Amino acid sequence: MADFVQNLPGALAWVVGDAPAARDALAKFSWKSPAVVVKVLDSVLRGIAQVAFGNNPISGLLILIGLFVGNVMSGLGAVVCSLTSVFVAKLLCWQDDAIAAGHSNFNAVLIGTVSTALYPLVFHTPLSPAVWGYIIVAAMFTVCVMAGLGRILEGHNIPAYTLPFNIAISTTFLCMKAAGFGEEASPAPSEEPDTGLQWDQVFLGTLLSAGHVWAVESVACSVLVLLGLFIFSPTLTLVSYLGATLGTLTGLVVSSAPYTLVYHGIWGYNGFLAAGSIAFFMAPTPRVILVAAINAVFATYLQAALIPVYAANGLPVFTFPFCLASVLFLATAMAMGPSTLRVTSPSFPELHLVQYNQKSRIVATKDNRDGDETTTEPMV
């Protein structure tokens, strides 16, 4: 099993997991070679999937198709901002392997999808060329902030997650408000609230949570997201969806009727990311998956607590609850077991688990050997 996972045979090495064959083939070409177009395309697609920890270009392609199906502007924003961040990362001399894996551009992807989806809802006006200018500048900021936060957090072995996105988009939206963008919202017509709980809509909310990671509410988009992540890692997909389910159910506890936001998947996307973050950066043992599930619930509690704070400035909470919860719970998971639980070179969870089991067997064998060597014969 270990050999199969580490040496994916034939076409599988080009498709599943982190697509190592495609990665290694492109690594042989310089960014100044004619293959740069393919390298950039691979980086863009991997970055789109990296939002949910899926380092795979096929996964990214499926998710990008889902974005265009759900919201054309979000799909366009993902492409434009991703290309912008790749260009800026090269100017700032990011390591080639980090750019190739999409680490430089997944925060910019969120800038593109979330800004284009939420700007009309927050500012009550359509997108304009000036707004696109702000969005592109925010995408540039994420590259710089990601580099800075990465430097600060690397000593603690903690990733920056989507903190650069949260910092850049919150700053950009507040700046646009200060610059006079937007209009006052017209009062919504009063409707008789429906206080009944509809479990079929709750289930729909768990599904829509997957698309809401990119701020796109679409069943088709969510299905393509789950399919894309499944190609990368079935384990990550199942744990992430578990987090979305727990987050959605927790939303029923921390909110009140009518449960419109629960039905639309708003309460599940932070749980989706929170659970996936633990299952990706730690070897997905049963104990780690339990921590991932608790993290999903905690992230949803944080979302409920932060909504009034952000609403005071007319902003949604974005993915800040996921980031804060996951930084804390990843540190918790790292402290509760052997250091080998923490993944040193992330690829995909199935391989992480195999590598952890191999290391555990080596350590156990060494301990047994040391124990045998210290055994002495009783004195006569």
Side-chain angles (χ1 to χ4, degrees), residues 16-365:
V16 303
D18 55 353
R23 179 195 62 213
D24 295 342
L26 289 174
K28 298 176 182 178
F29 295 93
S30 166
W31 285 89
K32 297 180 180 180
S33 70
V36 65
V37 175
V38 181
K39 288 176 70 72
V40 170
L41 177 61
D42 182 69
S43 175
V44 167
L45 294 177
R46 287 179 185 268
I48 291 172
Q50 282 277 18
V51 171
F53 314 106
N55 181 14
N56 184 300
I58 304 299
S59 301
L61 177 61
L62 290 173
I63 295 171
L64 181 59
I65 293 172
L67 295 178
F68 274 106
V69 170
N71 185 337
V72 173
M73 287 293 103
S74 291
L76 181 61
V79 174
V80 170
C81 290
S82 189
L83 290 173
T84 299
S85 62
V86 170
F87 177 73
V88 173
K90 288 299 297 180
L91 286 180
L92 296 179
C93 299
W94 271 55
Q95 293 182 354
D96 286 347
D97 57 347
I99 298 175
H103 294 162
S104 63
N105 51 311
F106 71 91
N107 281 286
V109 168
L110 280 178
I111 291 290
T113 62
V114 175
S115 297
T116 52
L118 295 188
Y119 177 86
L121 301 178
V122 174
F123 290 86
H124 312 290
T125 56
L127 293 166
S128 65
V131 173
W132 275 104
Y134 273 91
I135 291 174
I136 292 173
V137 171
M140 296 178 182
F141 286 160
T142 61
V143 182
C144 303
V145 176
M146 182 66 173
L149 285 177
R151 187 68 172 177
I152 293 171
L153 295 173
E154 67 179 356
H156 304 283
N157 205 14
I158 299 290
Y161 293 122
T162 57
L163 277 172
F165 152 73
N166 284 279
I167 293 171
I169 195 170
S170 298
T171 303
T172 300
F173 271 34
L174 289 174
C175 286
M176 287 193 287
K177 282 180 175 290
F181 283 74
E183 299 176 356
E184 291 293 330
S186 56
S190 58
E191 296 181 0
E192 189 69 22
D194 181 10
T195 57
L197 182 59
Q198 304 174 42
W199 285 105
D200 59 331
Q201 294 299 306
V202 173
F203 170 75
L204 179 62
T206 65
L207 178 61
L208 291 174
S209 299
H212 268 294
V213 170
W214 290 262
V216 174
E217 184 176 325
S218 165
V219 172
C221 177
S222 294
V223 170
L224 287 170
V225 166
L226 293 174
L227 177 59
L229 288 181
F230 192 85
I231 291 173
F232 170 69
S233 168
T235 300
L236 178 65
T237 307
L238 293 175
V239 174
S240 296
Y241 186 72
L242 171 64
T245 301
L246 291 173
T248 301
L249 294 176
T250 305
L252 295 174
V253 177
V254 297
S255 64
S256 57
Y259 299 106
T260 305
L261 296 181
V262 174
Y263 301 154
H264 287 271
I266 303 299
W267 282 103
Y269 71 91
N270 275 296
F272 185 98
L273 289 170
S277 68
I278 304 298
F280 181 75
F281 287 103
M282 303 291 292
T285 63
R287 186 168 52 176
V288 167
I289 292 176
L290 175 60
V291 175
I294 299 172
N295 189 33
V297 175
F298 182 61
T300 311
Y301 267 77
L302 279 177
Q303 182 174 343
L306 291 174
I307 282 176
V309 178
Y310 275 69
N313 291 301
L315 297 178
V317 296
F318 303 115
T319 62
F320 188 73
F322 141 68
C323 291
L324 181 56
S326 296
V327 166
L328 295 174
F329 271 75
L330 182 60
T332 299
M334 290 165 59
M336 75 180 189
S339 59
T340 50
L341 270 175
R342 176 64 166 91
V343 177
T344 54
S345 299
S347 50
F348 56 99
E350 287 77 11
L351 179 57
H352 300 164
L353 185 58
V354 169
Q355 292 173 336
Y356 168 71
N357 289 332
Q358 289 176 336
K359 291 177 182 177
S360 298
R361 284 195 295 269
I362 292 172
V363 171
T365 302

